[in-house]
Amino acid sequence: MSDAGGAAIEDYYLEERLFPPPEGFVDQAVVADPAIAEHAQRDVEGFWADQARALDWFDEWHTVLEWDLPFAKWFVGGTLNVSYNCLDRHVAAGLGDRVAIHWEGEPGDTRTITYSELLADVERFSNVLKGLGVRRGDRVAIYMPMIPELPVAMLACTRVGAPHSVVFGGFSPDALRDRIDDAQAKVLVTADGGWRRGSVVALKENADSALADTASIEHVVVARRTGESGGVTPMTEGRDHWWDEVMAGAEASCPPEHMDAEDLLYLLYTSGTTAKPKGIMHSTGGYLTQVAYTHRAVFDLHADRDVYWCAADIGWVTGHSYIVYGPLANGATSVMYEGTPDFPDKDRWWDIIERYGVTILYCAPTAIRTFMKWGNEFPERHDMSSLRVLGSVGEPINPEAWVWYWTHIGGGHCPVVDTWWQTETGAIMISPLPGVTTCKPGSATFPLPGIGAEVVDDAGEKVERGGGYLTLTRPWPSMLRGLYGDPERYRQTYWSRFEGRYFAGDGAKVDDDGYFWLLGRVDDVMNVSGHRISTAEVESSLVNHPSVAEAAVVGAKDDTTGQAIIAFVTLKAGQDETTEHGEDLRGHVARHIGSIARPRTVIFTDELPKTRSGKIMRRLLRDVAEGRDLGDTTTLADPRVVEEIRRLSTTRPTED
Ligand code: WT7
């Protein structure tokens, strides 16, 4: 496990303390009942079928699971509609006046949207999409800020059976173009701009430059968000339409399509080990079944009284599953926030929790560590006694952050659930169950009922106790159905490393009590603030710069963001190794991919350490970046290179 990207297990065992569910915590019968876990053990398909029955189906399935490794089909023969499950059935059950979304914009404007209102908007926008020629099966790209029009657009896509591809609003025009091209999307839904720390992100301008080199998009719908503050938004006659104008002209009612359980619900692009992002495919019936189930079980959801806040961006899978589909399928009331935690001040989050009476909070360890750094005075001056359950996702949470979260945010009365999952798994896979599981800070504890997870060694043998590779041993309803347009890469990436097993790409350890500890990626994928970035993607961006000859990128441990991007760069002859040049390269990557991919540090070096076969030794570079002992360097073609880099790295960092 020397190649694990994250921290060594020793770092996690500073102090082993057990945290049983807080006294007085109200167990939700559905999860606390041991019969549920027992059912999942004895008859896993029957267990999942029970969970699927919590949804409304137009036609029931005839077969729960068809498994032809690595291709799974769940609830075969069943038909349903996702927007119907998220909206119509709640309204029909008399819950139309329940708040679906308490939306809060960054500048402080708010909107309260009930289930009836959300349904009305979704039906209208479904008709807008149809009017623009979108038919069942057509792909729709969505590039938006965190405004209510974003879930409306997604749900409308599901209503008409058009798979969406949401592209995070922080991505660059190039990244947007690649994703539109790969999916051959027909319509793009965007906004004039979005707010971030008081300034405007020019989404429409980015979209226009992406569209300059794509052919598939026929129409663009533009929601108004920043208006005049973002300058004049140029609209292309015949192609571009203002959201409010097309909505005003649309019919009010749109019946939901009856979709097959296995129909493609959406694509979401994620970084792999190559420079080309992968289009993860999610299905309709299995996906909705598992996100709804896990959202109820893991957060102990009482939809009639909880106020749930997942502080992620819908542009990532966390937002798809736990801002949009899980909570709405369960008829929950959610908070949706557009901005950053420090705008206009560092009280913003705690103020939101206090004002809306948030009971369940779900966020990433990077946020928690940032709050720790800012100091306790911010949360302390707010009444957060409404909180009941706290969740963590996206990266390993260190025990100090876990205990701080428990103590200073949860006041010692909220279970903390550390949830492990991936874009590919679609839904939470490993997590404590509140009211049931005794936690160890830093451990995601156990696989959920219905999930088979095991740690294996290099040879694929199960490791009962100790470290190894995290694998999943059987199919699960919300598993990815493939990579868009590339079934072979799907098999190769996930199902070939260990026979008969899904390989997650993470290192993990099972401790003496059987608890799972996630140790970070073991492949060339970095995790910065819970966001996944491929080393290859950043490298390929760097070598695209005219001055760069070669580049190697690693993720080095960072106290706040989990990992930070460090780029080792060899310049072409005659180029200057100056701080300004380093800055220029950092900016280049940010423009090319998005600011989340901006390297923290660029280190110039005359050569990169390579094996005799020419492979760049990233492990070594990571050791250099993290200031570790280099260990065995005998496989290096030229061992002197490392000493050279080490000398440079201490003298020439270009940091913020
Ligand atoms: C990778 C997946 C899951 C939604 C957000 C990220 C890491 C995720 C945890 C956790 C330790 C975690 C893994 C995983 N990860 N959750 N609770 N503890 N690591 O989704 O972008 O697909 O990234 O995030 O390394 O493989 P993603």
Side-chain angles (χ1 to χ4, degrees), residues 277-301:
K278 307 179 280 195
I280 304 293
M281 297 163 69
H282 279 297
S283 73
T284 303
Y287 174 81
L288 197 65
T289 295
Q290 193 174 333
V291 295
Y293 159 67
T294 50
H295 183 254
R296 286 192 303 275
V298 168
F299 299 110
D300 186 45
L301 180 77

Side-chain angles (χ1 to χ4, degrees), residues 305-470:
R305 51 195 147 98
D306 274 318
V307 178
Y308 163 85
W309 182 22
C310 169
D313 191 291
I314 293 176
W316 306 93
V317 76
T318 308
H320 281 62
S321 298
Y322 297 107
I323 296 179
V324 182
Y325 294 117
L328 294 174
N330 288 331
T333 296
S334 295
V335 169
M336 176 177 170
Y337 173 53
E338 180 186 31
T340 54
D342 53 355
F343 192 87
D345 52 41
K346 298 188 170 88
D347 287 288
R348 189 65 187 265
W349 266 41
W350 320 121
D351 180 49
I352 289 175
I353 291 173
E354 184 170 12
R355 261 187 298 119
Y356 295 99
V358 171
T359 59
I360 305 169
L361 175 66
Y362 191 30
C363 67
T366 289
I368 300 166
R369 289 189 291 260
T370 303
F371 299 140
M372 283 173 77
K373 224 165 46 186
W374 288 349
N376 298 348
E377 72 257 35
F378 300 103
E380 266 165 14
R381 58 175 173 238
H382 296 272
D383 175 6
M384 299 198 291
S385 55
S386 55
L387 286 171
R388 272 192 334 107
V389 179
L390 302 176
S392 167
V393 63
E395 17 159 5
I397 178 164
N398 47 313
E400 294 86 342
W402 196 104
V403 172
W404 185 86
Y405 200 29
W406 166 284
T407 311
H408 293 280
I409 305 305
H413 63 262
C414 304
V416 171
V417 290
D418 173 12
T419 62
W420 178 87
W421 58 294
Q422 309 177 295
T423 305
E424 291 87 340
T425 70
I428 297 169
M429 303 293 280
I430 303 180
S431 169
L433 288 171
V436 179
T437 313
T438 290
C439 291
K440 293 184 185 182
S443 164
T445 72
F446 307 105
L448 291 177
I451 302 302
E454 284 176 1
V455 172
V456 300
D457 62 18
D458 262 315
E461 297 297 329
K462 181 177 175 184
V463 173
E464 294 286 350
R465 298 288 181 257
Y469 303 95
L470 181 64

Side-chain angles (χ1 to χ4, degrees), residues 538-553 567-573 585 602-610 614-617 621 641:
V538 179
E539 285 165 3
S540 114
S541 168
L542 283 166
V543 297
N544 259 332
H545 192 279
S547 70
V548 174
E550 224 181 354
V553 166
F568 294 86
V569 171
T570 306
L571 293 173
K572 287 180 183 158
L585 294 178
V602 172
I603 296 170
F604 294 116
T605 168
D606 293 340
E607 255 180 286
L608 293 167
K610 292 188 185 148
K615 198 170 173 277
I616 292 175
M617 294 181 73
L621 290 173
V641 172

